[in-house]
């Protein structure tokens, strides 16, 4: 068999499942795909480790529940030895714990059985593309140090910084913060150019929260993925009165699938060259799109709230971040909806997550709800005097300062929570 050097090589897939019918079904589902080749089928976790080492597939379809070594452990063993191999975990349950453990073990995608052949093929192609883009970053070679370094595209010309706002739990205020942070960064200094990218592709809220009724969205860039330039990006950006330029999510959820990780990567790196800051709003699922936005981020703004499920999820996120080898300074932890009556103190959250809380944004339902319902960020107009807006402005200032520092310098985080401008 030819060495995997050509660009037109098929995607080589290894199937791992203990149930013979499932293995056969998967083979059948993939049989007619011209760009995919099933190179083998392992019947157990043990066998998959040996077969992966021997066959060096591009993608592994891994069943999670198997007797003996299960899919998670097998994935861990395989990705340690063959870091470029992309694993799609298959499970009958969509339990978040499974998902997270799979991601930690090195899986890149999670499919819940039963799935359609379209889902499967799309996932294989997506993940393979992602593998090609991630390969240098996850290889064991000593590549450029500090995966969070800006401008690591080697051109040395990149100007802007990417801030990915993420929360592993929905409803914590991720979109609200992304929008207002973008506005705050635009207000901070004259000449600051800020783009806001809605990477919550299926049900993105940026258009609504900014009251933008534009017909342009990221999906317009799909046909141009290989020829994206600054001019083209400018044509799809939608200007907002605050000065922020928004790249909106597709107008309908079913279009989201057309947006691939390589497109997101090109969009973000392209925007980085045009802008001072690129703020990315994400959804709460760690899929390959989110991973791309997290990978490319100079800083991840991780949003948590003072309730146990959210704190637990933030903690798990840091485990995933460790597994992805993100330096700890890459993530900025924010406590949103901070409330002295919540019964949980910020100090306790900090101790539990073992990561400093850099800013607390107060619980202010009235301001947040009015802003959302009017489609006017609270950083604009009379709401700018609220403590919530002031805390957001301070956070923007903090982030700007941190990003202005030399990358080598460790990020200075406030040692104490109850003092300093960022805490309220
Ligand atoms: N600091 C805050 N205080 C009170 N409510 C908030 C605050 N930030 C956001 N919210 C509210 O929380 C809800 C979820 O916000 P949203 O930004 O859509 O979260 P996510 O993007 O994480 O799902 C919205 O109703 C929003 O108005
Ligand atoms: Mg959201």
């Amino acid at each position: 068999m030819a060495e995997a050097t050509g660009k037109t090589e098929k995607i080589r897939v290894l199937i791992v499942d203990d149930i013979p019918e499932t293995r056969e079904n998967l083979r059948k589902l993939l049989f007619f795909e011209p760009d995919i080749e099933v190179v083998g089928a392992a019947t157990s976790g043990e066998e998959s480790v040996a077969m992966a080492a021997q066959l060096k597939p591009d993608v592994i379809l891994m069943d999670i529940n198997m007797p003996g070594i299960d899919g998670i452990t097998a994935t861990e063993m395989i990705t340690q030895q063959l870091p470029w191999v992309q694993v799609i975990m298959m499970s009958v349950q969509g339990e978040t714990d499974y998902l997270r453990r799979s991601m930690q073990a090195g899986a890149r995608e999670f499919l819940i059985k039963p799935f359609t052949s379209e889902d499967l093929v799309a996932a294989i192609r997506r993940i393979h593309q992602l593998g090609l883009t991630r390969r240098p970053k996850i290889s064991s070679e000593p590549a450029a140090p500090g995966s969070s370094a800006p401008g690591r595209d080697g051109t040395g010309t990149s100007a802007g910084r990417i801030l990915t706002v993420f929360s592993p739990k929905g409803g914590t205020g991720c979109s609200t913060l992304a929008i207002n942070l973008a506005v705050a960064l635009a207000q901070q200094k004259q000449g600051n150019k800020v783009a806001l990218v809605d990477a919550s592709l299926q049900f993105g809220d940026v258009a609504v929260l900014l009251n933008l009724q534009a017909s342009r969205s990221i999906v317009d860039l799909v046909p141009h993925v290989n020829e994206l330039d600054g001019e083209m990006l400018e044509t799809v950006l939608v200007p907002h009165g605050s000065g922020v330029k928004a790249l909106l999510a597709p107008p309908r959820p079913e279009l989201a699938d057309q947006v691939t990780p390589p497109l997101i990567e090109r969009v973000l790196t392209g925007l980085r060259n045009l802008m001072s800051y690129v703020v990315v709003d994400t959804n709460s699922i760690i899929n390959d799109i989110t991973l791309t936005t997290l990978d490319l981020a100079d800083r991840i703004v991780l949003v948590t709230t003072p309730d146990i499920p959210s704190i637990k999820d933030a903690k798990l996120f840091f485990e995933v971040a460790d597994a992805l080898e993100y330096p700890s300074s890459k993530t900025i932890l924010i406590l949103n909806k901070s409330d002295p009556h919540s019964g949980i103190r910020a100090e306790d959250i900090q101790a539990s997550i073992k990561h400093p809380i850099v800013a607390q944004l107060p619980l202010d339902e009235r301001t947040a709800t009015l802003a959302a319902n009017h489609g006017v960020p609270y950083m604009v107009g009379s709401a700018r005097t609220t403590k919530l807006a002031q805390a957001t402005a301070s956070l923007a200032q903090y982030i700007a300062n941190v990003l202005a520092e030399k990358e080598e310098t460790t990020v200075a985080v406030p040692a104490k929570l109850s003092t300093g401008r960022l805490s309220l």
Side-chain angles (χ1 to χ4, degrees), residues 190-270:
Q190 239 194 347
N192 263 2
K193 290 176 162 183
V194 182
L196 175 62
V197 177
D198 195 344
S200 177
L201 295 171
Q202 283 201 318
F203 297 101
D205 291 328
V206 169
V208 171
L209 291 173
L210 291 181
N211 194 21
L212 295 171
Q213 271 122 19
S215 54
R216 285 160 283 162
S217 83
I218 191 167
V219 92
D220 300 324
L221 296 173
V222 169
H224 309 290
V225 60
N226 293 319
E227 52 194 34
L228 264 192
D229 57 18
E231 220 171 295
M232 204 172 282
L233 280 168
E234 287 278 10
T235 61
V236 290
L237 292 175
V238 183
H240 180 256
S242 61
V244 170
K245 292 183 173 179
L247 182 55
L248 302 178
R252 292 195 312 277
E254 69 272 20
L255 297 174
D257 255 5
Q258 295 185 18
V259 180
T260 57
L263 176 63
I264 287 281
E265 175 163 7
R266 277 168 214 172
V267 164
L268 293 185
T269 48

Side-chain angles (χ1 to χ4, degrees), residues 125-136:
R125 289 193 184 126
R126 253 200 327 262
I127 209 179
H128 180 57
Q129 272 300 323
L130 182 72
L132 298 180
T133 59
R134 287 177 67 90
R135 196 166 295 211

Side-chain angles (χ1 to χ4, degrees), residues 171-326:
T172 54
C174 188
S175 299
T176 307
L177 179 59
I179 282 157
N180 286 283
L181 196 56
V183 176
L185 287 164
Q187 290 170 344
Q188 200 181 70
K189 204 167 108 199
Q190 239 194 347
N192 263 2
K193 290 176 162 183
V194 182
L196 175 62
V197 177
D198 195 344
S200 177
L201 295 171
Q202 283 201 318
F203 297 101
D205 291 328
V206 169
V208 171
L209 291 173
L210 291 181
N211 194 21
L212 295 171
Q213 271 122 19
S215 54
R216 285 160 283 162
S217 83
I218 191 167
V219 92
D220 300 324
L221 296 173
V222 169
H224 309 290
V225 60
N226 293 319
E227 52 194 34
L228 264 192
D229 57 18
E231 220 171 295
M232 204 172 282
L233 280 168
E234 287 278 10
T235 61
V236 290
L237 292 175
V238 183
H240 180 256
S242 61
V244 170
K245 292 183 173 179
L247 182 55
L248 302 178
R252 292 195 312 277
E254 69 272 20
L255 297 174
D257 255 5
Q258 295 185 18
V259 180
T260 57
L263 176 63
I264 287 281
E265 175 163 7
R266 277 168 214 172
V267 164
L268 293 185
T269 48
L271 285 175
R272 186 169 60 186
N273 291 333
L274 293 176
M275 301 288 166
S276 326
Y277 298 99
V278 183
V279 179
V280 187
D281 181 25
T282 54
N283 62 19
S284 353
I285 300 160
I286 304 188
N287 56 16
D288 50 3
I289 293 282
T290 317
L291 266 179
T292 307
T293 69
L294 294 171
D295 271 357
L296 286 171
D298 292 297
R299 288 292 182 280
I300 297 166
V301 178
L302 187 74
V303 188
T304 191
T305 46
D307 56 278
I308 298 295
S310 178
I311 296 164
K312 179 207 74 175
D313 288 353
K315 212 167 160 178
L316 285 167
F317 173 81
F318 279 105
E319 287 176 18
V320 174
D322 272 352
L324 293 169
E325 293 177 10
Y326 294 165

Side-chain angles (χ1 to χ4, degrees), residues 167 169-177 205 209 281 336-337 361-365 368-369 372 388:
S167 166
K169 194 170 176 300
T172 54
C174 188
S175 299
T176 307
L177 179 59
D205 291 328
L209 291 173
D281 181 25
N336 191 28
K337 307 192 188 184
L361 306 181
L363 177 75
D364 183 349
E365 261 165 33
T369 309
L388 178 56

Side-chain angles (χ1 to χ4, degrees), residues 88-107:
I88 299 179
M89 198 66 87
M90 304 178 293
S91 166
V92 277
Q93 288 141 303
E95 261 188 56
T96 47
D97 186 43
Y98 267 177
L99 168 73
R100 284 175 214 289
R101 284 172 52 215
S102 304
M103 291 305 198
Q104 272 170 262

Side-chain angles (χ1 to χ4, degrees), residues 104-135:
Q104 272 170 262
R108 296 281 176 237
E109 179 96 42
F110 199 88
L111 285 177
I112 297 167
K113 294 177 187 173
F115 42 78
T116 64
S117 66
E118 286 81 41
D119 287 343
L120 176 64
V121 169
I124 291 176
R125 289 193 184 126
R126 253 200 327 262
I127 209 179
H128 180 57
Q129 272 300 323
L130 182 72
L132 298 180
T133 59
R134 287 177 67 90
R135 196 166 295 211

